[in-house]
Amino acid sequence: MSDTPSNLPASLAPALSPAQRASIINVVRRAARAEIMPRFRQLSSSDIRTKSHADDLVTDADTMAEAMIARALQIAFPNALVIGEEAASSNRSLLDGIEEAQLAFHIDPVDGTWNFAHGLALFGVIVGATRYGKPVFGMIYDPVADDWAIADEDGAAELMRPFGAPRPLRVAMGKPLEELSGNIPLHMFAKDMQHQLAASFPSFKRVTNLRCSAHEYRLLAQGHIDFLLTASLHPWDHAAGTLIAQRAGAHVEMLGGGAYSASRQSGHLLVAPDKATWNRLKKVFNFLIAEPAEETLTS
């Protein structure tokens, strides 16, 4: 398959043709059947390894599924940059090419590995594509339910199953702060900000953390939660989800201003149902980006 599926200039051509989208769906489902689901609730303690810290886990399901998906993408798109979470964990320089890549794929083979490793059926497979860092395709697959949220840069976000018609996805309506439910992974924020951030939680109806970006974005795109805030910008966690959320009607913006890009490696990402709600949330969380006091700068 050609990386550019039409005779349009590369900068104007759709990132993926319908046939290419279908091939990605197929390889993700095959990888889940072959490498992920046979290992679910079958892992021994020796099958679970740590990476950067005790809660940052990896299993053979992660490495084998990533290898299978990455290999298929590299064959189908030989000129694309293909970045898997596990590959990037051992070679961070892979992230340096995202901003310059005409087409890059971002793979999270088992998003929610902690849940997966502990037998919780709350994990997913994420594949996103970007053009010069901008998300242009996203797929979030649930191997347990065998369904997937999907979107590209021009079409509507949909929930799809092997059989039956796709279901359009739509974020919730904007609401007052006290009626909002959101997802905030407190442990991902700087230690000196965690107490202040936690103190904001009673301002909302509910604040959760699923330890799984795949299902957090799916919940938001279906209108079941209202916002997401994170300080971790791994592209395999967010490239697909931000696009699906946007195509479902959400407002996606960095808390400090500017559009989300998969090439960004620092900052705070805030996703809300609309711009007005995003602005209200920004006022609550603005302390995260406030400049330090002058005496702190000079001490």
Side-chain angles (χ1 to χ4, degrees), residues 261-284:
S261 169
S263 65
R264 298 193 67 144
Q265 298 184 37
S266 64
H268 301 86
L269 176 63
L270 178 59
V271 184
D274 53 42
K275 178 64 171 177
T277 305
W278 190 95
N279 285 334
R280 289 196 292 272
L281 288 164
K282 177 180 168 59
K283 290 179 182 178
V284 176

Side-chain angles (χ1 to χ4, degrees), residues 89-165:
S89 294
S90 57
N91 182 10
R92 300 292 294 181
S93 66
L94 288 171
L95 304 177
D96 297 339
I98 295 173
E99 190 170 14
E100 302 302 322
Q102 181 178 307
L103 182 63
F105 287 96
H106 311 273
I107 308 164
D108 195 335
V110 182
D111 181 67
T113 298
W114 192 95
N115 295 342
F116 177 83
H118 290 84
L120 300 177
L122 197 64
F123 56 89
V125 184
I126 305 176
V127 175
T130 58
R131 180 189 286 125
Y132 306 117
K134 179 184 176 182
V136 293
F137 168 81
M139 174 188 178
I140 302 178
Y141 177 66
D142 181 348
V144 177
D146 191 22
D147 64 9
W148 55 96
I150 194 167
D152 57 33
E153 58 187 331
D154 298 316
E158 297 177 318
L159 184 66
M160 301 183 69
R161 299 175 174 85
F163 304 100

